[in-house]
Amino acid sequence: MTQFMTGHGCFTDYLKRFGIIETDECWYCGEKDDVEHTFFKCENWRENRELAEEELEEEIMPENVVEAMLASEKNWTCVEKWIAGVMKQKELDERRKKLQEN
């Protein structure tokens, strides 16, 4: 959740800013990768987003995600599960990329 709220983590714009990688291109689609891209725009994560939206019964956007989370414990759990699932997979993919480079 902290990575989602702060933009720190395995987002290529963050990793590039600190000299960890050379490009801020999304590993999945080539666009600039940041929190907003990963969670709200990237087609790679569309299915995850749609599953969360179905459970919340509303479209999730940067403008309403915090309000949706705070609306109920059920919503909080849903959004937390969505964020954790995407971040876990991105972290696994980042590790795989590092192994392939070595």
Side-chain angles (χ1 to χ4, degrees):
M1 190 67 75
T2 302
Q3 292 177 41
F4 174 79
M5 294 295 191
T6 64
H8 297 188
C10 57
F11 305 102
T12 58
D13 76 325
Y14 175 80
L15 298 172
K16 181 183 177 199
R17 188 174 35 213
F18 289 96
I20 297 167
I21 61 174
E22 294 181 15
T23 180
D24 62 5
E25 291 179 3
C26 177
W27 300 324
Y28 311 100
C29 72
E31 297 292 322
K32 180 183 177 196
D33 180 43
D34 57 16
V35 172
E36 187 170 335
H37 170 77
T38 294
F39 287 96
F40 302 100
K41 296 177 181 175
C42 188
E43 282 299 307
N44 190 69
W45 307 109
R46 183 175 46 83
E47 185 177 331
N48 301 70
R49 189 169 45 251
E50 288 174 350
L51 289 171
E53 289 174 339
E54 282 178 33
E55 191 171 331
L56 292 173
E57 299 178 348
E58 67 178 297
E59 183 180 359
I60 305 171
M61 299 174 288
E63 301 81 20
N64 74 348
V65 67
V66 173
E67 184 180 333
M69 290 167 60
L70 298 175
S72 70
E73 188 173 338
K74 174 189 163 277
N75 284 15
W76 179 275
T77 301
C78 173
V79 172
E80 183 179 44
K81 183 175 136 187
W82 166 52
I83 292 168
V86 170
M87 292 307 300
K88 181 178 180 180
Q89 187 59 53
K90 283 190 78 155
E91 290 165 359
L92 289 171
D93 293 345
E94 180 184 19
R95 284 188 215 121
R96 283 190 196 111
K97 288 180 84 48
K98 284 181 183 177
L99 287 173
Q100 290 172 352
E101 291 170 2
N102 294 329

